[in-house]
Amino acid sequence: MMNPRTLAAFLHDLFAVAAAWMLAFWLRFNFDIPSEFFVAALQSLFWVIPLFGTLFFSFGLYRGVWRFASLSDMQHILAAVSTGAVFAVM
């Protein structure tokens, strides 16, 4: 079972992924997303969010105490986000 703080961090990260995904669409279409692309953006969230959630756990982002984060932790975050970005655009 997951620690409540870890769960809160995980849910926050998933919310940030969804917000960044929608913001990317919003910026791509100059702040006016056409309706067909808005629907596509929302539908793609159903696989983007689980993809990033899985990668975040696979790369061990929730194992340590963030008060003592290190360069190694930053490398794990960068690797997880980069891998997710590559898979999301495929």
Side-chain angles (χ1 to χ4, degrees), residues 18-74:
W21 188 258
M22 295 307 293
L23 180 64
F25 271 84
W26 191 52
L27 290 173
R28 161 62 181 91
F29 291 106
N30 296 322
F31 313 111
D32 186 26
I33 305 172
S35 61
E36 63 272 10
F37 289 100
F38 184 75
V39 170
L42 289 178
Q43 289 174 341
S44 62
L45 283 175
F46 287 107
W47 62 267
V48 168
I49 291 174
L51 169 70
F52 276 90
T54 301
L55 288 171
F56 290 166
F57 270 108
S58 297
F59 281 86
L61 300 188
Y62 304 104
R63 284 191 217 149
V65 178
W66 281 102
R67 189 178 316 176
F68 306 109
S70 65
L71 185 57
S72 173
D73 293 323
M74 180 60 93

Side-chain angles (χ1 to χ4, degrees), residues 4-25:
R5 287 185 180 182
T6 302
L7 178 61
F10 179 66
L11 293 176
H12 171 270
D13 291 347
L14 292 182
F15 176 77
V17 166
W21 188 258
M22 295 307 293
L23 180 64
F25 271 84

Side-chain angles (χ1 to χ4, degrees), residues 51-52 55-56 59 74-89:
L51 169 70
F52 276 90
L55 288 171
F56 290 166
F59 281 86
M74 180 60 93
Q75 290 171 334
H76 289 254
I77 293 168
L78 183 61
V81 171
S82 299
T83 303
V86 167
F87 283 119
V89 297

